[in-house]
Amino acid sequence: MIKKFTLGNPINTEAVVLKADSHSVDTFPFEHRIEDGKFIFEFSMESSDIIYGLGEAPRGINKRGWIYESFCSDDPFHTETKSSLYAAHNFLMMQGSKNFGIFIDFPAKIRWDIGYTHEDKTVVTIDGTDFDIYFIDDNKPIDIVKEFRYAIGKSYIPPFWAFGYQQSRWSYPDETAVDAVIDGYDKANIPLDCVYLDIDYMERYKDFTVDSEKFPDFAGYVKKKKEQGIHLIPIIDAGVKKETGYKIYEEGLINDFFCKKSDGPVFEGGVWPGIVGFPDFLNKEVREWFGSKYKILTDMGIDGFWNDMNEPAIFYSTTGLENALNKAKSLEGENLDLSKFFELKDTFTGLSNNPADYSSIYHNIDGKMVCHDKVHNIYGANMTKAAGEYFEKEFGKSKILMFSRASYVGAHRSSGIWFGDNHSWWSHILLNLKMLPSANMCGFLYCGADLGGFNENATRDLVLRFLALGVFTPLMRNHAALGTRNQECYNFDNSDDFKDIIEVRYRLIPYLYNTFCKASETNDMIFRPLAFDYPDDKLARECETQLLLGDECMICPVYEQNVNGRYVYLPEDMTYVKLSGTNVETRFMEKGIHYIDVALNEVPLFIKKGKKVPLCKPAMRTSLLDVENLEYIEG
Amino acid sequence: MIKKFTLGNPINTEAVVLKADSHSVDTFPFEHRIEDGKFIFEFSMESSDIIYGLGEAPRGINKRGWIYESFCSDDPFHTETKSSLYAAHNFLMMQGSKNFGIFIDFPAKIRWDIGYTHEDKTVVTIDGTDFDIYFIDDNKPIDIVKEFRYAIGKSYIPPFWAFGYQQSRWSYPDETAVDAVIDGYDKANIPLDCVYLDIDYMERYKDFTVDSEKFPDFAGYVKKKKEQGIHLIPIIDAGVKKETGYKIYEEGLINDFFCKKSDGPVFEGGVWPGIVGFPDFLNKEVREWFGSKYKILTDMGIDGFWNDMNEPAIFYSTTGLENALNKAKSLEGENLDLSKFFELKDTFTGLSNNPADYSSIYHNIDGKMVCHDKVHNIYGANMTKAAGEYFEKEFGKSKILMFSRASYVGAHRSSGIWFGDNHSWWSHILLNLKMLPSANMCGFLYCGADLGGFNENATRDLVLRFLALGVFTPLMRNHAALGTRNQECYNFDNSDDFKDIIEVRYRLIPYLYNTFCKASETNDMIFRPLAFDYPDDKLARECETQLLLGDECMICPVYEQNVNGRYVYLPEDMTYVKLSGTNVETRFMEKGIHYIDVALNEVPLFIKKGKKVPLCKPAMRTSLLDVENLEYIEG
């Protein structure tokens, strides 16, 4: 049963599509109060209760024992003590002494103290008094999720080829670089479907432009690549470069389409192109305008995009930088003591994503000026909506690949997400795994992390182990940052090991795509915590290194360096399958604790008794897959 | 067999006490070459070979799969992709197809590519051509360690009371704060032996001063605390505040005791007190002078110290800051493009521990000016030596507690170390565990990490699980940074759980101190990787979450949140012991894989068959322990 509680006049985020009657929050089932303009509610937890939710967020599948914040943040250090990442997914669910779910539809900050201050208490603080809360009561966690997902509408389904293996880097700036990647994979006989164009393909980082020195005939090049079976996926940033003669900026300016400062002028922030204007995506007219600009690239044959920097990320504002420079000037010649030194240093380090800058931004929502603070968490989602609405109108469903960095519930209907700028850390294999069921709960099915890790240098074994998890994630993309080691598979010793892993992905694509579409259709999850299916099994309840996949499988990636395998817990008898290239080895295993050997070129998978998983033959492109002739591995 | 190879004219680091004949590096057993003034050698590894060593360093017990650098670094982010921490412990050891150890006695940078560039190759690059290398060849890893340890001399043994539980925070600035801590522990009936004084006890951060407003009668106060059984442990920083009238600075200046810039004047860096001079600890006369200053505090009853900031950490140099301010000034009024913006930002963020500053520092070694770059890694060790030599002369052995942040092999004879500014991250429980055997190999026996984590906020369960590992580490200290949650045990809900953990420590002190002294006496390790004792056991070989302790035990802390226990691998039959307060529960367990339940107030321990571990009764202070009447748990 889903029940809606409303306080004040909520901003319409369009997260929920279900029409539901509003009840007064006075009847909201948890202890609550209003303090300093904030709505606070709390509930207690027994020690064995599990709290799920918050979608793309730091830490575990079980969110207990931390304070999280809903606040879309461009933060590339996904360490354990962060409170937010790029998304705001305000769904929480308890399994245990009581089973229920809560969705808070509110686009500003929310603080979730889930057993941090007191281990047995969750305290949620909504930073305002205008919101809807949906409360969902059911027996089983999966049913609570399905009811929530029904309320928020069906999840985005990408084109089939988006399940192919994808290679990215900041950046492959020109034709030569892109060709080298395709050539490298082809020569190593490793399948590949997409190559990404990070910011350097553009002319001076201007959205919807292509640098004609790097790509003299972009449309022709895109066509040629498509003939090779390769999709090029360009990045689109939220900010529009301020430049005289740049048509999109000038259109935005004339039409009053950019976010403003309270006192009238356009808010100017520095991002990749230098100073930009931020399109006011909360305004429908702006969305239509910006969405239609994607046509410039689709007309050249592009059929996939990634939307970035849309939290929005702001390196500095002109005002902030001016203040910092003035501060530096005022200290000239002074004998700085330590506090003055740190004040100065902090002024410069604090220029990026500065709260004061966000507070100075204003949106035009239905003719009313609204401070950015009140709607921060739906800015990125509305950029995605701008594109999604255009694509669906122009091309229909499942034709264009799109995923975004920032997101809010509702964006799952028109887009996927990737988990942002992670690191080449072993711990980020597990972080990737843990985010999958949490994202699924919130409607985001097409998702994945940067395999091999984005920031810093990866080791060969890390990339292999990361990819072996990525075999199962809908988005299977290897991506690495400027200045890091070349992370393309063919650049490592003995690339056959990589071929063995990625071929397994291609063999599984019919199964994975089918599981994906079914999950979207039935509001189901692709990845479930073991506790969903085995609520009374103590070891299953606390397991955060394995996931159930569809109705058939359990996955359990190796996530440590210098090991030959891992411990795995089987909550029931299963068949252990080792996949490597076209090799399939199966072995029956009994319920219980086991150690499994997993070589660097192997993908471990467990299949439940009586279930079967189809495999096709591998191919170098998804378009070459023979999805009619399948063999089955039986559990 | 230990063999010494020499190239050029090595700087005498005093790391090795063994007199050994020098052989020419031409006969060094590995492929080697000199390139651009660097000595490079390499050896290959089979896939099952384990590489140990590097003491206090990032990542695993098995160091394979990364590039490390010997370069003492003040870096408070101990993430997986760091190459250095605070120490330079140049010992490496292979176990597998061949067993050998290598110690490079060289005080400048060394780069260790241990299977990063190519998985099967270790390439070591010594940044110079004046060094000694010791090569140790033996059958068993522990024998290699013992030969190395014999060569470098016996490890520091602290006073007995240094095994008591210790509470620290940045900062308890005054009597009231310190009293509140002692009172908090006493009221909660939780044992405690030491309270730390971080930088704020000093007068304007001046070494060997005490702020008389905060401590009006310091000697009297120290005495009063000692009557309560509590030792106060003040911090000493490397840099000496530049201040007219501050005797120690003026003495240093008159006597030419500070490090210089190449062109003559004292090198001025900014640290806690603002501008400081760095005593030139590489000069024997300076060491004697600085060491004798500790007398100011020992005369007031102090009997323990921690030496900090001695990498040395430099927040900024006067030159660096001037340049940064000038750069800011020159950009005034300019429309900054992105590269200029980042250049400016990086100028300010890069002010701290700047390589250019280090390169501009000069030492006077036996009358010769030597650039800091050539001796960076022994600066901190020589600060410690300054104190250690004074203490031994004045008080004899094992009378004064001392440990340092920066270190080099050799400092282990006069001091312990702590593992620096870690985080309240779950992953840092394991990092702590992994450093223990590595530090032991290099002679550092008295060591430990900041329990509960120094930086950022800790959760109650994290502190409990961290402490349950800390029960076994010679230094058992809870320490937390300015601005973080109060991390003293009595500040959390239900402090009885903390009492249960810390009482276990006190019950084990007779066993732990005895094991410690024996290890120092016999050049043994306290903590060994499982692979040392079970070289042919596949699961033991790759285990990095458990350690052997002494001849009797195996430890296996819980290191994940929201779990009721953990998997453990028993390489032989053992007795599982759950310790909690005065409770002891034992259960026989067979060799193999098990899941053990461990509640938040329990300390898990395994005892080998036929071995026994003594326990005394807990007490509120080590001085109150009855070490005569022991009961034994038998394995």
Side-chain angles (χ1 to χ4, degrees), chain B residues 106 121 140 151 170 172 210 239 263-264 277 334 347 516 548 612 616 632:
Chain B
F106 177 72
K121 203 167 260 187
K140 290 202 284 183
W170 173 23
Y172 305 126
V210 176
D263 50 355
E334 259 197 70
T347 302
F516 185 99
L548 297 166
K612 52 187 188 176
C616 63
Y632 288 85

Short mmCIF file of all heavy atoms in Angstrom, two decimals, chain B residues 106 121 140 151 170 172 210 239 263-264 277 334 347 516 548 612 616 632:
data_model
loop_
_atom_site.label_atom_id
_atom_site.label_comp_id
_atom_site.label_asym_id
_atom_site.label_seq_id
_atom_site.Cartn_x
_atom_site.Cartn_y
_atom_site.Cartn_z
N PHE B 106 70.12 3.85 2.01
CA PHE B 106 70.24 5.02 1.13
C PHE B 106 69.17 6.00 1.54
O PHE B 106 67.98 5.67 1.53
CB PHE B 106 70.04 4.56 -0.32
CG PHE B 106 70.08 5.67 -1.33
CD1 PHE B 106 71.29 6.30 -1.64
CD2 PHE B 106 68.92 6.08 -1.99
CE1 PHE B 106 71.33 7.31 -2.59
CE2 PHE B 106 68.96 7.10 -2.93
CZ PHE B 106 70.17 7.71 -3.23
N LYS B 121 57.70 -8.80 -12.79
CA LYS B 121 59.01 -8.19 -12.62
C LYS B 121 59.01 -7.11 -11.52
O LYS B 121 58.10 -6.30 -11.44
CB LYS B 121 59.41 -7.55 -13.94
CG LYS B 121 60.91 -7.39 -14.08
CD LYS B 121 61.29 -7.03 -15.51
CE LYS B 121 61.80 -8.23 -16.30
NZ LYS B 121 62.32 -7.90 -17.61
N LYS B 140 64.18 -19.75 5.24
CA LYS B 140 62.86 -19.39 5.74
C LYS B 140 62.73 -17.88 5.92
O LYS B 140 63.66 -17.22 6.39
CB LYS B 140 62.62 -20.09 7.08
CG LYS B 140 62.43 -21.60 6.91
CD LYS B 140 61.69 -22.20 8.06
CE LYS B 140 62.55 -22.35 9.30
NZ LYS B 140 61.88 -22.98 10.41
N ALA B 151 71.35 -7.47 12.10
CA ALA B 151 72.25 -6.49 11.49
C ALA B 151 71.92 -5.06 11.90
O ALA B 151 72.80 -4.20 11.98
CB ALA B 151 72.22 -6.63 9.97
N TRP B 170 43.37 15.88 19.22
CA TRP B 170 43.84 17.20 18.86
C TRP B 170 42.70 18.15 19.16
O TRP B 170 41.82 18.28 18.35
CB TRP B 170 44.23 17.22 17.38
CG TRP B 170 44.58 18.55 16.85
CD1 TRP B 170 45.00 19.65 17.51
CD2 TRP B 170 44.49 18.94 15.47
NE1 TRP B 170 45.18 20.69 16.65
CE2 TRP B 170 44.88 20.29 15.39
CE3 TRP B 170 44.12 18.29 14.29
CZ2 TRP B 170 44.90 20.98 14.18
CZ3 TRP B 170 44.15 18.97 13.09
CH2 TRP B 170 44.55 20.32 13.05
N TYR B 172 43.46 18.19 23.82
CA TYR B 172 43.04 18.50 25.18
C TYR B 172 43.95 19.64 25.60
O TYR B 172 45.08 19.40 26.03
CB TYR B 172 43.21 17.29 26.09
CG TYR B 172 42.52 16.04 25.58
CD1 TYR B 172 43.20 14.84 25.41
CD2 TYR B 172 41.15 16.06 25.28
CE1 TYR B 172 42.55 13.70 24.95
CE2 TYR B 172 40.50 14.92 24.82
CZ TYR B 172 41.21 13.74 24.65
OH TYR B 172 40.57 12.62 24.20
N VAL B 210 55.29 25.29 27.95
CA VAL B 210 53.94 24.93 28.37
C VAL B 210 53.19 26.22 28.61
O VAL B 210 53.70 27.12 29.27
CB VAL B 210 53.97 24.09 29.66
CG1 VAL B 210 52.56 23.79 30.14
CG2 VAL B 210 54.75 22.80 29.45
N GLY B 239 59.91 21.64 13.94
CA GLY B 239 60.26 23.05 13.70
C GLY B 239 60.26 23.88 14.97
O GLY B 239 59.40 23.71 15.84
N ASP B 263 72.08 29.64 -0.18
CA ASP B 263 72.81 30.90 -0.18
C ASP B 263 73.05 31.47 1.21
O ASP B 263 73.32 32.66 1.37
CB ASP B 263 72.09 31.92 -1.07
CG ASP B 263 70.62 32.03 -0.74
OD1 ASP B 263 70.13 31.25 0.12
OD2 ASP B 263 69.94 32.88 -1.34
N GLY B 264 72.89 30.63 2.25
CA GLY B 264 73.35 31.08 3.55
C GLY B 264 72.32 31.26 4.63
O GLY B 264 72.48 30.73 5.72
N GLY B 277 62.42 27.63 12.29
CA GLY B 277 63.68 27.10 11.81
C GLY B 277 63.66 25.60 12.06
O GLY B 277 63.12 25.14 13.08
N GLU B 334 42.49 40.06 -15.05
CA GLU B 334 42.52 39.24 -16.26
C GLU B 334 41.29 38.35 -16.31
O GLU B 334 40.79 37.89 -15.30
CB GLU B 334 43.76 38.33 -16.24
CG GLU B 334 44.88 38.86 -17.13
CD GLU B 334 45.91 37.78 -17.43
OE1 GLU B 334 45.57 36.85 -18.17
OE2 GLU B 334 47.02 37.89 -16.89
N THR B 347 48.85 26.49 -7.47
CA THR B 347 49.93 27.20 -6.80
C THR B 347 49.66 27.25 -5.30
O THR B 347 50.56 27.03 -4.48
CB THR B 347 50.05 28.63 -7.34
OG1 THR B 347 50.27 28.56 -8.75
CG2 THR B 347 51.21 29.37 -6.71
N PHE B 516 56.48 -9.09 23.51
CA PHE B 516 57.18 -7.94 22.95
C PHE B 516 58.68 -7.97 23.32
O PHE B 516 59.54 -7.88 22.45
CB PHE B 516 56.54 -6.65 23.48
CG PHE B 516 57.11 -5.40 22.86
CD1 PHE B 516 56.45 -4.77 21.82
CD2 PHE B 516 58.31 -4.86 23.29
CE1 PHE B 516 56.97 -3.62 21.24
CE2 PHE B 516 58.86 -3.73 22.71
CZ PHE B 516 58.18 -3.10 21.68
N LEU B 548 49.44 -14.06 12.62
CA LEU B 548 49.93 -14.85 13.73
C LEU B 548 50.55 -13.90 14.74
O LEU B 548 51.23 -12.93 14.36
CB LEU B 548 50.97 -15.85 13.24
CG LEU B 548 50.38 -16.87 12.25
CD1 LEU B 548 51.48 -17.63 11.53
CD2 LEU B 548 49.42 -17.82 12.96
N LYS B 612 49.45 -22.03 25.36
CA LYS B 612 48.55 -21.38 26.31
C LYS B 612 48.90 -19.90 26.47
O LYS B 612 50.05 -19.50 26.25
CB LYS B 612 48.55 -22.08 27.67
CG LYS B 612 49.91 -22.31 28.26
CD LYS B 612 49.79 -23.17 29.52
CE LYS B 612 51.14 -23.24 30.23
NZ LYS B 612 51.08 -23.96 31.48
N CYS B 616 45.71 -11.93 33.23
CA CYS B 616 45.62 -11.46 34.61
C CYS B 616 44.23 -10.87 34.82
O CYS B 616 43.43 -10.82 33.90
CB CYS B 616 46.71 -10.43 34.90
SG CYS B 616 46.58 -8.93 33.92
N TYR B 632 45.33 -19.31 32.81
CA TYR B 632 45.77 -19.64 31.46
C TYR B 632 44.61 -20.16 30.61
O TYR B 632 43.80 -20.94 31.08
CB TYR B 632 46.88 -20.69 31.50
CG TYR B 632 48.18 -20.10 32.01
CD1 TYR B 632 48.44 -20.01 33.38
CD2 TYR B 632 49.13 -19.60 31.13
CE1 TYR B 632 49.61 -19.44 33.86
CE2 TYR B 632 50.31 -19.04 31.60
CZ TYR B 632 50.55 -18.95 32.96
OH TYR B 632 51.68 -18.39 33.42
#
